[in-house]
Amino acid sequence: MVRADFLIRNAREILTCAGRGPLAGPRQSQVSAIPDASLAALDGTIVFVGPAADAAAQVTLMPDAVVIDAEDHAVVPGFVDAHTHAVFAGDRRSELRRRLAGATYAEIAAGGGGIISTVRATREATEEQLVAQSRPRLDEMLASGTTTCEIKSGYGLDVASELRMLRAIATLQHQHPLDVVATFMGAHEVPTEFRDRRSEYVELVVQEMIPAVAAEKVATWCDVFCEAGVFSPDDSRRILQAGMRHGLKARIHADELGASGGSQVAAQVGARSADHLIFVPDDGITALASAGVVATLLPNAAFYLKLGRFAPARKLIDAGVPVALATDINPGGGFSPSMPFAIALACFGMNMTFEEALVAATSNGAWSLDLGDRVGSLEMDKLADAVIVRGEAINLIRMGAPSIAHVVKRGRPVGH
């Protein structure tokens, strides 16, 4: 017998998404469904998952145990949102109106909007203001089923402001139920004061920002926006390699607005994840597959930016590249905190099956953050992070319908 202080009992099915990660190719659809199932946890860690009849015989509930009757409900792992920009100051919804009227991303940026607009507001904000403005976004993510997320800096673009953002992310990690992983992204854009001195800004990132971030231990990852007009493949390679020398693991914004060479850089430096990939070329796909890089796709961003296309998920999966999904929450093009929305867009815009999209939103997302041993699947000794869905799990793609009955974080219902 095992003791438990939390139990989900009598679920119509539990989709564990178990398996040694990352799940690529045909394994991307491996959800490992257990019908008529229960899940038990102790102190936030799973101690049993399997048939409900076995749970009745093997699990002893403590007197104060929390029990959820999941009859006619499905259970899936808590979502892992592996790419967000959820900490920022200011409001750019006026740009959304301009975009809906036909303005392009480049036109908005040229007029003083875009990332630089958020940089101005973020530089003016205190750490406390950043935390206060960002906490409601994490609340929305949690209510949508996200239990672990990544958050990037990148709206400061100077040493002091980038560190302030990362400290705010650390504060949210300590104060909020979500598990949060921090990424340093001083190479998100070239600030206006360096616009004609791009190489000097790269020097600032490499020589001052990265050492300062590493010294404070406020980030796990280093990211760079490899794109024409932002950071070249050579710039990106240099920045990521500098981060790695200081103990920051590599991920990269690649091939979002055009074939930028970012996918090749990801493979060359051994990045864990290459993100966006809307315009990834065939040789980039081959490079990602050979290097074992995760493709983290962001259909919400492609949708809101009106790019007219999505990343080629089907080609990536068929080539053996493990695919993850994320929301890309940000002030200019990531307006939805919902991983179920990303799953729906992946199914209907990127030709993924529901099972492939669910694995992308859970197990592969966790692996892309190097957290596959803790979250992303419902297995023994992992965190009891789960989403309880009314009816069948595929009801998650019914946008606007209240498909999520409960969100569970570390063996306790949260977010509702």
Side-chain angles (χ1 to χ4, degrees):
M1 300 290 287
V2 295
R3 294 186 310 138
D5 59 15
F6 175 76
L7 176 69
I8 300 172
R9 68 183 179 192
N10 302 324
R12 67 186 296 166
E13 62 176 351
I14 293 180
L15 279 58
T16 69
C17 299
R20 187 174 180 85
L23 301 179
R27 297 179 68 231
Q28 176 99 35
S29 61
Q30 180 179 306
V31 297
S32 302
I34 305 172
D36 189 17
S38 294
L39 180 148
L42 179 66
D43 296 332
T45 299
I46 296 171
V47 295
F48 174 88
V49 58
D54 293 348
Q58 298 177 26
V59 176
T60 298
L61 291 178
M62 299 174 68
D64 59 349
V66 175
V67 178
I68 297 177
D69 189 343
E71 184 177 1
D72 201 32
H73 289 66
V75 182
V76 302
F79 302 127
V80 180
D81 192 345
H83 180 129
T84 87
H85 302 264
V87 169
F88 58 87
D91 189 333
R92 281 163 52 194
R93 277 173 289 189
S94 61
E95 294 180 10
L96 175 60
R97 295 186 177 90
R98 290 182 60 194
R99 191 177 303 131
L100 293 175
T104 67
Y105 181 92
E107 289 169 344
I108 291 170
I115 291 173
I116 293 300
S117 173
T118 301
V119 169
R120 288 193 296 268
T122 301
R123 284 180 173 180
E124 294 172 359
T126 65
E127 181 181 329
E128 292 74 18
Q129 289 171 330
L130 287 172
V131 170
Q133 291 185 42
S134 303
R135 185 180 288 110
R137 300 177 197 123
L138 272 65
D139 293 342
E140 291 179 337
M141 295 163 69
L142 186 64
S144 300
T146 295
T147 52
T148 300
C149 74
E150 179 259 20
I151 304 178
K152 306 177 192 296
S153 68
Y155 293 123
L157 307 187
D158 61 41
V159 176
S161 301
E162 286 292 305
L163 288 173
R164 188 163 59 250
M165 284 192 71
L166 290 166
R167 292 179 194 128
I169 294 169
T171 297
L172 288 165
Q173 158 69 8
H174 288 113
Q175 294 180 354
H176 200 277
L178 260 70
D179 282 329
V180 177
V181 178
T183 296
F184 163 68
M185 198 178 178
H188 194 193
E189 176 61 283
V190 180
T192 53
E193 64 268 27
F194 282 91
R195 194 51 57 89
D196 298 323
R197 298 178 291 137
R198 186 181 310 271
S199 62
E200 291 183 31
Y201 185 68
V202 173
E203 288 294 321
L204 178 67
V205 172
V206 169
Q207 300 296 339
E208 297 187 37
M209 289 190 189
I210 288 175
V213 168
E216 285 206 22
K217 300 185 183 335
V218 284
T220 301
W221 300 89
C222 181
D223 199 342
V224 60
F225 189 10
C226 182
E227 197 67 56
V230 191
F231 297 98
S232 69
D234 286 343
D235 295 334
S236 301
R237 190 180 302 105
R238 183 166 180 232
I239 290 166
L240 293 177
Q241 289 174 338
M244 293 165 72
R245 287 195 299 273
H246 284 83
L248 300 176
K249 294 177 281 190
R251 53 204 315 111
I252 185 171
H253 284 52
D255 304 322
E256 178 183 5
L257 305 176
S260 67
S263 47
Q264 288 91 342
V265 172
Q268 290 162 4
V269 303
R272 175 55 66 94
S273 179
D275 301 11
H276 286 290
L277 299 173
I278 295 170
F279 291 89
V280 61
D282 289 346
D283 60 348
I285 293 175
T286 301
L288 295 175
S290 297
V293 179
V294 175
T296 299
L297 308 184
L298 310 165
N300 300 17
F303 176 83
Y304 282 115
L305 289 174
K306 297 181 68 177
L307 296 181
R309 62 189 289 173
F310 293 97
R314 188 79 266 140
K315 289 181 69 174
L316 288 158
I317 292 172
D318 292 345
V321 179
V323 168
L325 290 174
T327 63
D328 197 23
I329 294 171
N330 70 73
F335 296 111
S336 174
S338 172
M339 286 294 283
F341 183 45
I343 290 171
L345 288 175
C347 292
F348 292 96
M350 300 197 300
N351 297 316
M352 294 175 70
T353 68
F354 173 72
E355 291 76 15
E356 289 170 340
L358 181 62
V359 166
T362 56
S363 178
N364 280 0
W367 199 87
S368 83
L369 293 175
D370 205 14
L371 295 175
D373 60 335
R374 298 179 59 226
V375 298
S377 62
L378 299 175
E379 301 179 77
M380 293 283 288
D381 299 324
K382 290 192 177 183
L383 294 184
D385 295 353
V387 179
I388 302 176
V389 184
R390 293 183 175 91
E392 298 181 26
I394 201 168
N395 284 337
L396 285 165
I397 67 174
R398 298 179 63 234
M399 292 299 97
S403 60
I404 295 177
H406 301 282
V407 179
V408 175
K409 180 63 187 172
R410 294 178 181 256
R412 288 295 180 266
V414 291
H416 281 260

